[in-house]
Amino acid sequence: MLAISALSVFGIIVLFLGFSNNKSALMLAAMLSLLATFGLALYEWQHPEITPAVAAGMMSFDNLSILFTAVLLVTGILLLPLSERFLVDPKAQPAEYYAILLFSMVGAIMMVTFDNLIMLFLGLEILSISLYVLTGSDKRNLLANEAALKYFLMGAFATGVLLYGVAMLYGAAGSFSLSDIALYVQDNHDNLSPMLYIGLFMMLVGMLFKLSVAPFHWWTADVYTGAPNFFTAYMSTIVKTAGFAALYKILSVSFVGVYDYWFLMLAICAVLTLCIGNLTATAQQSFKRMMAYSGVSHAGYMLIAVASFSDKTPEAIFFYSLAYSIATITAFAALMRVADTKGSADFAAFYGLAKTNPFLSFALTVSMLSLAGIPLTAGFMGKLFVFMSALEQGHVALVVAAVLMSAVGVYYYLRVVIAMYMREGNGVAVTLSPRFRVVLIATTVLTILLGVVPSLVAGAL
Amino acid sequence: MQIPEVMRTVPLEYYLFFSTALFVIGVLGVLTRRNALVIFMSVELMLNAVNLLLASFSSYRQDSVGQVFVFFIMAVAAAEVTVGLAIIVMIYRNTKSIDVQLLNRLKG
């Protein structure tokens, strides 16, 4: 609660700081805002009595919500220095970008702390509308325009579907509060209104749309490819973390009684997502588009964790989203530097990178290994937690499908490594600024550290 | 008579079928039309179907929270309109068209 209130005020302050001509102060202010919010979230860990007193049952900052808030904020803090191009680009509007970024973070935090479907809707829309603006922020770029329109139309459509589901749930249960819906499901278990099933179905479809889960993923690749690199990195990490935390919260609090109904839907979507995401990613020539499909496939793994619904699930989603976010930040940091230097996001732009910039190639290799799930990286431990939570409930078929598909994943992630180490480049050197270097060191160290000693964060729950 | 009482003179099923019909028309519009503005109008139709549904549930259950949610939806839809129209104007300036079929540069 403190985090949300403070971050909203910080966003307004950063917006008004745009009147000054000192652009690097803007990044500093945004960074300090995120750090202060992180501190406030940790403060609430120690003082759980703050939120219930003021939130009137609309949101709750329990320890799981605070952990997800921390993942979101850490992602934001690690990403922010990568936006340094906005500070020198005369066409960019850094004050607006940072302010919208902070506001969208408010929406994301609302999505992990809601206790009422009204709050879920508001959080989702604050996040989505901010992202529509950021996707289209490169106004003269036709690809970015197209991506913004597609994202906007698909996102607004998904919101409509989600709202229809929420309205139906209200018709069935007579309340938007998660605990009241849970009571209704529990008390009327033998004669549940058909409106509840329709409502749950439509609400899940709306959520899965936003999370780019197959068969609702078709907009993802276009939007991720067209958006400016920095904002693609931002949305592929923040939306996944916040969305899956929200999905898990709704299902685990309100709909435990109808598990059989939603398990089937999520399991089918998870297998479809894994197959489509991984197989399509192998056919891509553009690194950025490959990362978009890789994002789709990772949604499949997280969906398996949600669908398996064991007591290990929250830990699995938390660890997986952290590992995925950190590795994705590294990958996009490398993409931003390569694309800015060579003007292309294709695999060919990565040829010979190991000769001109060994450090960047090493960091990118670690992140690719982590995304592929090779042991001693955070991604491996993430997948392990997901599979363990599924096996605990006996969903062997799901795990077999996921393991097969992650073998496919190794193929296209290693293509990047081969391009960097085994192909001849044109000798144009890719340089790193100090900010990029610090972020890359931090993400690489975190990826390896979490892969070797996962108990550092996995035991926090 | 109070407005909720007036609303209750029509059976709840009628509201349910009517708003579902509106919603389906909106979905079909989004899926079949080519003009970005018409797609946008169809999305608004979907949202208004939801608003009607919430208002009728709210008056039948004599619970005001549903109507409060309608206000939230209206406010958010207004914010969405401003952003959406800005995006459409931006595209029109660059391409002189708002036909979504012409936006096919992103492929693969």
Side-chain angles (χ1 to χ4, degrees):
Chain A
M1 193 69 201
L2 288 176
I4 291 176
S5 324
L7 200 51
S8 313
V9 176
F10 290 145
I12 297 170
I13 294 175
V14 169
L15 188 60
F16 280 94
L17 277 181
F19 285 123
S20 82
N21 287 324
N22 187 351
K23 286 191 174 175
S24 55
L26 281 172
M27 186 194 278
L28 188 69
M31 187 58 123
L32 288 177
S33 312
L34 289 176
L35 286 171
T37 313
F38 189 68
L40 286 172
L42 292 185
Y43 178 76
E44 248 175 282
W45 181 287
Q46 305 288 336
H47 301 268
E49 72 283 355
I50 298 173
T51 301
V54 286
M58 299 300 267
M59 43 181 39
S60 64
F61 262 78
D62 52 16
N63 284 358
L64 184 62
S65 313
I66 294 178
L67 278 182
F68 279 120
T69 308
V71 175
L72 293 170
L73 289 169
V74 165
T75 311
I77 290 167
L78 287 173
L79 267 174
L80 202 59
L82 305 182
S83 66
E84 62 178 10
R85 205 169 72 105
F86 297 144
L87 304 180
V88 290
D89 185 351
K91 288 198 194 90
Q93 309 284 341
E96 278 87 342
Y97 298 165
Y98 290 143
I100 296 175
L101 216 65
L102 295 184
F103 292 141
S104 72
M105 192 64 94
V106 173
I109 297 178
M110 279 168 76
M111 280 177 72
V112 300
T113 56
F114 69 99
D115 249 351
N116 192 304
L117 294 177
I118 297 181
M119 281 296 151
L120 168 70
F121 166 67
L122 287 179
L124 191 62
E125 282 306 285
I126 292 173
L127 178 61
S128 300
I129 294 178
S130 310
L131 288 179
Y132 305 149
V133 178
L134 295 178
T135 307
S137 59
D138 194 355
K139 283 185 284 191
R140 286 162 198 82
N141 181 346
L142 284 179
L143 293 184
N145 287 347
E146 185 181 332
L149 186 69
K150 281 185 176 164
Y151 195 27
F152 169 72
L153 291 177
M154 281 302 116
F157 179 67
T159 303
V161 176
L162 176 101
L163 278 176
Y164 187 79
V166 171
M168 280 298 193
L169 286 178
Y170 177 64
S175 171
F176 295 113
S177 156
L178 291 187
S179 46
D180 287 352
I181 297 176
L183 268 181
Y184 167 79
V185 173
Q186 203 181 353
D187 291 346
N188 304 285
H189 192 260
D190 295 324
N191 56 341
L192 285 172
S193 155
M195 286 198 287
L196 183 103
Y197 290 109
I198 299 173
L200 178 56
F201 177 78
M202 298 294 263
M203 196 172 72
L204 284 179
V205 169
M207 292 288 290
L208 297 182
F209 237 113
K210 301 254 175 188
L211 287 172
S212 68
V213 166
F216 315 109
H217 68 288
W218 69 83
W219 54 272
T220 318
D222 288 354
V223 171
Y224 283 18
T225 315
N229 290 336
F230 176 71
F231 297 126
T232 308
Y234 185 76
M235 63 183 160
S236 59
T237 51
I238 296 286
V239 176
K240 286 246 159 38
T241 309
F244 276 101
L247 190 65
Y248 174 71
K249 182 148 191 177
I250 304 173
L251 293 174
S252 68
V253 175
S254 296
F255 297 104
V256 185
V258 286
Y259 174 67
D260 296 336
Y261 176 72
W262 56 261
F263 167 72
L264 191 65
M265 184 178 166
L266 292 195
I268 294 172
C269 286
V271 174
L272 260 181
T273 310
L274 285 169
C275 294
I276 293 178
N278 281 307
L279 295 177
T280 325
T282 55
Q284 301 307 318
Q285 292 310 314
S286 154
F287 179 75
K288 199 175 177 189
R289 215 170 165 87
M290 185 277 278
M291 284 305 293
Y293 281 109
S294 131
V296 172
S297 76
H298 285 284
Y301 296 111
M302 286 162 90
L303 204 57
I304 285 185
V306 177
S308 64
F309 198 59
S310 71
D311 47 345
K312 288 209 180 71
T313 298
E315 195 181 36
I317 303 175
F318 162 65
F319 197 89
Y320 201 96
S321 54
L322 184 63
Y324 166 76
S325 301
I326 291 174
T328 307
I329 293 169
T330 320
F332 274 96
L335 172 67
M336 275 178 233
R337 285 312 302 145
V338 170
D340 284 353
T341 313
K342 304 196 177 173
S344 153
D346 288 351
F347 282 120
F350 288 82
Y351 284 178
L353 188 66
K355 286 215 181 71
T356 59
N357 198 329
F359 169 68
L360 183 61
S361 323
F362 173 72
L364 187 55
T365 306
V366 171
S367 105
M368 287 297 124
L369 294 181
S370 177
L371 288 173
I374 306 291
L376 293 183
T377 58
F380 171 74
M381 294 313 296
K383 282 204 173 65
L384 194 65
F385 283 132
V386 168
F387 296 162
M388 264 159 44
S389 86
L391 285 176
E392 194 168 285
Q393 298 292 313
H395 303 308
V396 181
L398 275 182
V399 175
V400 170
V403 169
L404 281 179
M405 281 303 142
S406 60
V408 176
V410 173
Y411 163 73
Y412 60 82
Y413 290 124
L414 285 187
R415 267 178 79 188
V416 185
V417 179
I418 291 170
M420 288 189 301
Y421 283 92
M422 298 185 181
R423 299 285 162 83
E424 285 300 316
N426 57 5
V428 179
V430 176
T431 54
L432 289 176
S433 70
R435 289 196 188 98
F436 268 77
R437 204 169 277 275
V438 169
V439 170
L440 284 171
I441 290 173
T443 52
T444 309
V445 167
L446 273 175
T447 302
I448 297 174
L449 197 64
L450 291 180
V452 180
V453 264
S455 52
L456 273 184
V457 296
L461 212 58
Chain B
M1 269 209 300
Q2 299 276 312
I3 292 174
E5 289 171 36
V6 177
M7 285 192 78
R8 281 200 295 276
T9 55
V10 179
L12 183 60
E13 290 76 30
Y14 288 27
Y15 286 111
L16 203 57
F17 289 131
F18 179 54
S19 35
T20 306
L22 278 182
F23 185 79
V24 171
I25 293 170
V27 171
L28 290 179
V30 172
L31 297 180
T32 56
R33 300 307 289 262
R34 296 175 52 171
N35 186 312
L37 272 179
V38 178
I39 296 179
F40 195 27
M41 280 159 56
S42 306
V43 170
E44 292 298 310
L45 191 63
M46 289 164 65
L47 293 184
N48 281 328
V50 172
N51 283 346
L52 177 66
L53 198 57
L54 282 170
S56 52
F57 279 139
S58 161
S59 57
Y60 262 86
R61 290 187 167 272
Q62 309 192 353
D63 172 40
S64 58
V65 184
Q67 291 167 47
V68 174
F69 199 0
V70 171
F71 277 111
F72 277 117
I73 294 178
M74 283 177 170
V76 168
E80 219 166 41
V81 167
T82 53
V83 171
L85 286 181
I87 291 174
I88 292 175
V89 168
M90 174 176 84
I91 287 190
Y92 184 76
R93 278 194 188 147
N94 288 334
T95 63
K96 299 292 169 211
S97 159
I98 50 170
D99 186 337
V100 289
Q101 307 264 309
L102 298 178
L103 294 171
N104 54 6
R105 288 177 193 83
L106 292 164
K107 273 194 198 128

